[in-house]
Amino acid sequence: MATKKLRRAKLSQELCERLSRYQITTCQDFLCLSLLELMKVTGQSYRNVQKLLRKVSQACAPKMQTAYEMKMRRSVNPSTAFLPTSLHSLDKVLHGGIPCGSLTELTSPPGCGKTQFCITMSVLATLPVSMGGLDGAVIYIDTESAFSAERLIEVAGNRFPTYFDSDEKLFCMTRSIHLYRELTCDSVLKRIKSLEEEIISKKIKLIIIDSVASVVRKEFDTKLQGNLAERSNFLARGASLLKYLAEEFSIPVILTNQITTSLSNGLAIPVDLVSPAYELSLSEVSGASGSGKRESACVTAALGNTWSHSVNTRLILQYHDLLTRQILVAKSPVAPFSTFFYTIEKSGLVLQDGKNLSNLPWDGTNPALQTIQVRNAALRNALLNITDETPGDTPSL
Amino acid sequence: MQRDVGSLPLSPALRARLLAAGFQTAQELLETGPCGLSKEIGISKEEALEALQVVRQECAGDAAKAAGGSGSTRKCTALELLEEEQAQGFIITFCSALDNILGGGVQLTKITEICGAPGVGKTQLCMQLAVDVQIPECFGGVAGEAVFIDTEGSFMVDRAADIATACVRHCQLIAEAHQEDDHLKALETFSLESILSHIYYFRCRDYIELLAQVYLLPDFLSEHSKVRLVVIDGIAFPFRHDFEDLSLRTRLLNGLAQQLIIIANDHKSAVVLTNQMTTRFGQNQSVLVPALGESWGHAATVRLIFHWDNTQRLATLYKSPSQKESTIPYNITVRKWDHIPRLFRSCDAAVQPSLCSCQTDGFS
């Protein structure tokens, strides 16, 4: 650990005192100096300084494990390596479900089903292990005030009617979902830092942050100078804290993200989601309507390239036509690119494996630049298909 | 022997005292002896003895360098170097087009950097290399072990197990085709279990742990002398946030690069680093470039950039002292990397069925 005091690195007392006179108290300070500087501050010869360096490094360095030991540990507890999403085809492709110990991101245009998915996963995490759950509590950090407890109960009751047969069981489930409403970047970061103790005391088995993008985009306007760097800094810090929690406790972390329009010359316009006219402006930017020409702008996941590196798995939800939506596995270390169709019903998300909608193999592309279909485009395509099939009718818009 | 006292690696306080007392060369110190030295400067006899031992070691090292001996010196003729390079093995990637543009595979004693956009396959290639370095010599491998330093947490053991299983099967097919004794003997020790046990995994959470680990790496490699590959997956991630002082970052990265070059040379192993891409905003456009700045580009000997062209992944050899710049397309299949000829695309439909078969072959 970087902030480990040198005293605990087994350096002698007098050496620590001497170093503290130069303001070197933690391992971080010590290791950032060059050898000559170290010789000066410790007053020791070259050889001795190298020995000290090795001692301090041993205090900070991680422990070694072989891949075999890691595999053995996982196979001892196979059920706790993943959280099945209860969408069977998706689980099969993901080798079991949402992986524990890494960050999973869910991106989609508004209204596609992110919060529904998060609510469903919250229910699943509280189920006993025999039913595919993790038998634990959930931390739900809500930045958009979109969480609805009534919907939670509806999903639970409809998806697992045999298990949640009594009110008692439903209330027990709702008691294990801890909701935090955070509205600024700072408070989100503070909350994440405080999670370590909560996870141990409340036996948390799933962390959901819905959504990271809304709070970041409210506060950072990337057109202003310096904001981009600060934003990336905040995101990177948040990501590394969450990764630490995910790995340390071997739990899944689900984050949701929004969309942005990126023009073909590479600049990204943050979509103003507060204004009701946003959907209109999006279609204007998207270029010619339905003429089949290559669009000059496309909608992709927000928060930039660096964020795409930080998450381990990326699932994209997008509109397909009037009723159905698609879920794309855009980035995953274990799964190939795949797509599935689904609809949102009383019991949450339901995969459509119907005859007329086959799950096509899909050539994915760069997860940071994967285009996402928004509602307007989907409706437009759907209407075009209808007008193509019935040439006699006049399209009315 | 005429070495100046100021250049000896003694502690600064002692050095200052020696200079103040008027000592100028190392020869003078050695002639004075420990007792005389302790009286003249006012230090204890033990300290004086220690100082003289340091001086003696330094002078011996200097003499060896002057005589052109081996050890810390690295002097040889180009012919000797040629013979060494030709005898050296490469770590093959099983993607023949990639091996071709690299000139045979990932070279030992050199640093190779892989830059790429997210999700393009950098960690996959690193896991592939950690398995391929262990291929026995009779199959064309270097029969070494691997150190995997992970800073991003993207190492998936299950995926590594899949790749290892596929590699073992590939070697089994070769052995069946050739039916030679040493092939079969090598296969006895080349199993999923042994492959996974020889991948030494370190998870570094921040740049301090990474620095500490690299300081300790030479000792580790001396204990595990069969290691032929050191992978650092994500050298950019720990250095890209929480750094207000960019000059400190540059200094630390340069120090890291130098240590890695020494490790690569001394232990005859390949060092593979992965880097992220970052957006650089130009006049009217933004462009993706490797992260960590321009000066970091000097650290690696060989640089590969992986990028997307619509739905096709491409690998470009960006910097190499011996190979020409070129680009090849590639695919990541369920088992491992496959190359595809430029004229036609191999069917991605092959992905779905073999996914199921690989699951059943899992280790349990």
Side-chain angles (χ1 to χ4, degrees):
Chain A
M1 290 301 289
T3 51
K4 196 167 180 177
K5 298 277 186 202
L6 288 171
R7 280 180 263 121
R8 291 176 6 232
K10 301 206 178 77
L11 290 185
S12 70
Q13 182 70 6
E14 40 173 315
L15 191 59
C16 292
E17 276 172 18
R18 185 187 168 128
L19 288 171
S20 61
R21 264 180 271 144
Y22 291 95
Q23 257 98 53
I24 302 171
T25 48
T26 64
C27 293
Q28 181 166 350
D29 303 328
F30 194 87
L31 288 174
C32 280
L33 296 173
S34 70
L35 280 170
L36 285 179
E37 285 170 346
L38 281 174
M39 279 173 72
K40 191 177 86 164
V41 298
T42 57
Q44 307 246 356
S45 71
Y46 189 71
R47 260 194 313 174
N48 284 350
V49 162
Q50 281 185 320
K51 280 195 213 144
L52 284 176
L53 208 55
R54 225 168 276 149
K55 232 196 220 171
V56 174
S57 301
Q58 263 162 359
C60 295
K63 211 170 66 94
M64 193 263 298
Q65 16 174 358
T66 66
Y68 184 63
E69 288 163 12
M70 290 166 70
K71 177 98 188 142
M72 286 285 89
R73 233 180 302 137
R74 259 170 118 79
S75 58
V76 159
N77 254 338
S79 54
T80 56
F82 293 98
L83 172 60
T85 61
S86 74
L87 303 168
H88 293 292
S89 316
L90 181 64
D91 284 340
K92 208 159 83 139
V93 153
L94 288 176
H95 271 67
I98 305 279
C100 291
S102 68
L103 305 186
T104 304
E105 184 202 76
L106 208 58
T107 307
S108 84
C112 223
K114 292 192 293 292
T115 308
Q116 304 297 312
F117 189 86
C118 292
I119 290 180
T120 315
M121 296 309 291
S122 313
V123 175
L124 288 169
T126 58
L127 292 178
V129 179
S130 54
M131 286 184 68
L134 294 176
D135 196 21
V138 176
I139 286 192
Y140 198 109
I141 300 181
D142 188 4
T143 63
E144 296 175 326
S145 299
F147 187 86
S148 153
E150 281 196 19
R151 177 70 177 135
L152 175 73
I153 299 196
E154 198 186 5
V155 166
N158 282 302
R159 212 175 183 92
F160 304 102
T162 46
Y163 181 73
F164 291 110
D165 49 5
S166 68
D167 279 344
E168 184 57 47
K169 286 236 179 86
L170 281 172
F171 292 150
C172 189
M173 186 264 299
T174 52
R175 256 199 297 271
S176 18
I177 300 186
H178 304 274
L179 187 69
Y180 296 99
R181 283 216 178 83
E182 308 293 348
L183 296 170
T184 64
C185 283
D186 239 0
S187 59
V188 168
L189 203 56
K190 256 198 238 143
R191 177 63 60 193
I192 297 177
K193 283 186 192 151
S194 74
L195 282 182
E196 192 171 345
E197 296 178 9
E198 308 240 346
I199 296 177
I200 302 176
S201 59
K202 296 187 183 139
K203 301 208 198 333
I204 303 289
K205 290 288 183 197
L206 172 65
I207 301 177
I208 298 182
I209 303 189
D210 179 20
S211 73
V212 177
S214 71
V215 72
V216 165
R217 295 168 92 188
K218 264 193 285 189
E219 292 187 20
F220 294 104
D221 181 0
T222 50
K223 287 200 285 274
L224 296 176
Q225 200 183 33
N227 268 14
L228 189 58
E230 224 182 293
R231 186 181 91 158
S232 306
N233 216 335
F234 166 77
L235 287 173
R237 225 172 329 140
S240 70
L241 280 171
L242 288 169
K243 276 196 197 188
Y244 169 69
L245 291 173
E247 286 171 16
E248 190 65 35
F249 298 103
S250 223
I251 55 176
V253 176
I254 299 181
L255 311 158
T256 58
N257 193 3
Q258 293 169 348
I259 50 169
T260 185
T261 314
S262 75
L263 301 175
S264 57
N265 61 9
L267 289 170
I269 301 176
V271 175
D272 183 5
L273 294 170
V274 176
S275 102
Y278 108 90
E279 285 209 34
L280 207 58
S281 59
L282 208 57
S283 56
E284 280 167 6
V285 175
S286 293
S289 52
S291 61
K293 277 208 293 263
R294 191 180 162 81
E295 316 238 51
S296 59
C298 57
V299 173
T300 62
L303 296 184
N305 211 333
T306 311
W307 178 252
S308 306
H309 278 292
S310 306
V311 298
N312 301 102
T313 310
R314 175 171 269 176
L315 300 172
I316 297 183
L317 308 175
Q318 69 179 12
Y319 287 93
H320 181 253
D321 60 28
L322 296 166
L323 287 173
T324 48
R325 294 112 195 260
Q326 254 185 319
I327 184 166
L328 318 171
V329 179
K331 175 181 181 189
S332 163
V334 291
F337 292 122
S338 345
T339 88
F340 305 97
F341 292 103
Y342 70 94
T343 53
I344 301 188
E345 297 175 19
K346 267 210 192 140
S347 58
L349 271 71
V350 174
L351 280 186
Q352 301 294 320
D353 294 315
K355 322 174 259 291
N356 50 352
L357 295 171
S358 55
N359 291 327
L360 318 149
W362 152 62
D363 298 329
T365 177
N366 188 344
L369 299 174
Q370 174 65 45
T371 58
I372 305 176
Q373 187 155 259
V374 294
R375 194 183 224 131
N376 258 6
L379 289 176
R380 208 190 315 130
N381 289 342
L383 285 168
L384 280 175
N385 286 341
I386 296 174
T387 54
D388 283 342
E389 287 163 9
T390 58
D393 288 351
T394 46
S396 60
L397 240 159
Chain B
M1 272 316 199
Q2 295 305 308
R3 185 145 161 200
D4 192 41
V5 162
S7 73
L8 293 171
L10 301 165
S11 67
L14 186 58
R15 237 192 352 240
R17 278 199 179 158
L18 288 171
L19 288 170
F23 286 98
Q24 277 189 339
T25 66
Q27 178 75 17
E28 283 180 44
L29 287 179
L30 289 173
E31 279 171 357
T32 317
C35 297
L37 204 61
S38 74
K39 278 195 211 112
E40 213 171 311
I41 313 177
I43 54 175
S44 72
K45 294 203 181 72
E46 288 79 19
E47 280 176 28
L49 182 61
E50 213 182 297
L52 283 180
Q53 280 172 343
V54 168
V55 172
R56 209 165 279 138
Q57 218 180 37
E58 275 298 303
C59 292
D62 286 344
K65 273 188 216 149
S70 63
S72 56
T73 60
R74 293 180 183 96
K75 187 181 106 157
C76 59
T77 65
L79 179 62
E80 289 164 13
L81 204 55
L82 178 66
E83 287 167 6
E84 241 183 73
E85 280 180 11
Q86 283 178 337
Q88 212 164 265
F90 292 94
I91 305 179
I92 54 179
T93 63
F94 270 136
C95 175
S96 44
L98 190 63
D99 287 338
N100 278 338
I101 62 170
L102 285 173
V106 172
Q107 260 185 310
L108 298 179
T109 74
K110 302 261 186 301
I111 301 188
T112 306
E113 187 184 335
I114 304 176
C115 316
V120 77
K122 306 185 287 291
T123 308
Q124 300 288 314
L125 180 59
C126 291
M127 290 199 275
Q128 178 82 47
L129 289 172
V131 169
D132 288 346
V133 74
Q134 307 190 38
I135 295 175
E137 276 163 7
C138 53
F139 291 107
V142 294
E145 301 172 353
V147 166
F148 199 104
I149 301 179
D150 189 2
T151 61
E152 296 175 340
S154 37
F155 182 81
M156 298 267 134
V157 167
D158 302 312
R159 180 71 179 142
D162 283 347
I163 296 176
T165 315
C167 188
V168 171
R169 206 173 304 141
H170 191 104
C171 292
Q172 279 172 344
L173 291 174
I174 298 180
E176 275 167 33
H178 288 247
Q179 291 292 339
E180 279 174 41
D181 276 337
D182 49 355
H183 282 183
L184 298 166
K185 214 161 75 95
L187 272 180
E188 281 167 31
T189 46
F190 190 61
S191 66
L192 176 62
E193 217 180 88
S194 80
I195 296 179
L196 290 182
S197 339
H198 292 308
I199 299 180
Y200 304 111
Y201 178 79
F202 298 88
R203 174 75 171 95
C204 293
R205 300 258 154 75
D206 52 36
Y207 73 94
I208 292 297
E209 289 190 18
L210 180 62
L211 285 176
Q213 187 53 48
V214 174
Y215 275 129
L216 296 176
L217 211 47
D219 293 335
F220 185 83
L221 292 183
S222 311
E223 283 169 34
H224 299 85
S225 55
K226 284 188 74 183
V227 170
R228 287 284 169 271
L229 173 69
V230 175
V231 174
I232 302 187
D233 186 12
I235 193 130
F237 185 64
F239 285 102
R240 293 192 71 197
H241 58 102
D242 270 355
F243 254 105
E244 287 92 30
D245 187 2
L246 282 183
S247 58
L248 175 66
R249 187 179 91 166
T250 312
R251 185 157 64 72
L252 291 177
L253 282 172
N254 281 336
L256 209 59
Q258 281 185 335
Q259 282 166 6
L260 291 172
I261 293 177
I262 294 177
I263 289 175
N265 262 314
D266 283 350
H267 299 272
K268 276 210 169 22
S269 46
V271 175
V272 174
L273 313 169
T274 62
N275 197 359
Q276 292 176 352
M277 300 295 264
T278 186
T279 321
R280 191 196 294 164
F281 291 100
Q283 241 76 354
N284 295 321
Q285 55 174 10
S286 65
V287 103
L288 278 181
V289 297
L292 295 182
E294 282 298 329
S295 48
W296 178 249
H298 294 290
T301 322
V302 176
R303 223 176 190 191
L304 273 176
I305 298 194
F306 292 163
H307 51 112
W308 294 92
D309 176 19
N310 266 341
T311 57
Q312 181 56 50
R313 297 179 215 242
L314 299 172
T316 302
L317 184 67
Y318 193 64
K319 171 183 173 188
S320 163
S322 55
Q323 302 300 317
K324 198 168 79 112
E325 253 186 52
S326 40
T327 307
I328 52 130
Y330 69 91
N331 262 343
I332 300 183
T333 67
V334 180
R335 293 157 292 124
K336 54 182 191 247
W337 280 46
D338 269 346
H339 93 284
I340 53 167
R342 272 167 237 249
L343 295 176
F344 64 90
R345 282 218 232 137
S346 71
C347 201
D348 287 301
V351 168
Q352 289 290 52
S354 35
L355 176 63
C356 304
S357 72
C358 236
Q359 266 186 318
T360 55
D361 290 336
F363 187 95
S364 58

